[in-house]
Amino acid sequence: ELLILQALDPERGSGDSSNIADAVRYAADQNADVISMSLGAPVYNSQIADAVAYAQEAGSIVTVATGNSRMKGIQFLASPADATEETIAVGAATVEADASTALPASFSQVGPDNGLDLSNGVTEGRTVSVVGPGTAVQAPIYDSRGTLTTKTLSGTSMATPHVSGAIAVLLEADSTLAGDPAAVEERLRSTATRMPNATSAAVGSGYVSLGDAVANTASEETQDEAMTSEATARDAGVETLSD
């Protein structure tokens, strides 16, 4: 079942933090298993972060897009992707038949968060959890005449619902994970497909793998261990910037 809540202006895609926070709390009060948020801002907002924490305490799994402004000078995680340690921060990657050969999208914001988002250090060190398909995705939309059609879109907003849907299937397959955000994130991280050519800063634990998550088949190596020497060098550079 889907609970659709409109928290942003339908024309401009912007909105008030209070509306977003209210929507998150309302979803949690309706016992939402998964809350998917394809939105974010460069500045930390305690009202929204508190709502995310409230939802997680109620047992909702919260997934949030990491943001699309890396190439515009806003490199680190958008808020509320960095709201809590249990928040599943979703980055975007290219769509490939073999996820291990995928690359992070150039626009996808990265971690570890530098904590310079007016959070007084609350978000410092928060990282991307996993990435999902987020480039040239065929998305269903309604056109100006109200007709359902499709449009090719790219962004972490495309990747996030893929991961949210995967979590819903995972919870259906393994009810022991229901209501446990930390356990769900750990399952996604441990079973993700490692991406040797990508940095951990950009992709977290790798490309979300629904089949392996359901089967609880952990990867034999971590994302850090899987990286090529070139990727490791790039990763160190991102971490230096975050310091």
Side-chain angles (χ1 to χ4, degrees):
E1 295 180 351
L2 297 178
L3 174 65
I4 310 300
L5 303 175
Q6 182 178 321
L8 302 178
D9 182 288
E11 296 181 358
R12 296 177 296 126
S14 59
D16 296 329
S17 57
S18 60
N19 290 339
I20 298 170
D22 287 347
V24 172
R25 289 178 179 273
Y26 179 82
D29 290 341
Q30 306 310 305
N31 300 315
D33 295 302
V34 186
I35 298 176
S36 184
M37 304 173 68
S38 288
L39 51 79
V43 176
Y44 176 80
N45 185 284
S46 60
Q47 187 177 21
I48 298 176
D50 288 346
V52 169
Y54 172 86
Q56 290 167 334
E57 290 172 4
S60 297
I61 315 302
V62 181
T63 64
V64 187
T66 59
N68 306 322
S69 298
R70 184 180 183 187
M71 302 304 290
K72 298 177 182 178
I74 304 175
Q75 184 172 5
F76 302 106
L77 299 187
S79 292
D82 56 6
T84 72
E85 292 183 354
E86 292 77 24
T87 304
I88 297 175
V90 182
T94 58
V95 180
E96 308 290 345
D98 180 356
S100 68
T101 65
L103 294 173
S106 60
F107 52 76
S108 188
Q109 287 168 235
V110 303
D113 202 300
N114 62 2
L116 299 179
D117 52 8
L118 305 183
S119 69
N120 293 320
V122 171
T123 65
E124 188 171 1
R126 301 275 163 75
T127 62
V128 178
S129 301
V130 292
V131 294
T135 60
V137 174
Q138 294 299 307
I141 65 166
Y142 286 97
D143 62 20
S144 58
R145 295 174 293 181
T147 302
L148 184 62
T149 183
T150 60
K151 185 175 183 179
T152 302
L153 297 171
S154 297
T156 55
S157 288
M158 299 297 105
T160 300
H162 279 93
V163 173
S164 300
I167 294 170
V169 176
L170 174 60
L171 295 179
E172 183 74 15
D174 188 349
S175 60
T176 64
L177 295 172
D180 194 338
V184 170
E185 188 193 27
E186 173 56 30
R187 176 71 68 90
L188 292 183
R189 282 183 176 272
S190 66
T191 61
T193 299
R194 308 311 186 205
M195 301 167 63
N197 297 315
T199 66
S200 296
V203 302
S205 294
Y207 212 113
V208 66
S209 174
L210 175 56
D212 288 332
V214 169
N216 197 14
T217 303
S219 297
E220 295 182 355
E221 55 187 354
T222 66
Q223 174 63 26
D224 285 344
E225 293 169 340
M227 288 190 298
T228 64
S229 57
E230 292 83 0
T232 300
R234 295 199 307 274
D235 202 57
V238 173
E239 290 177 348
T240 299
L241 288 175
S242 72
D243 292 338

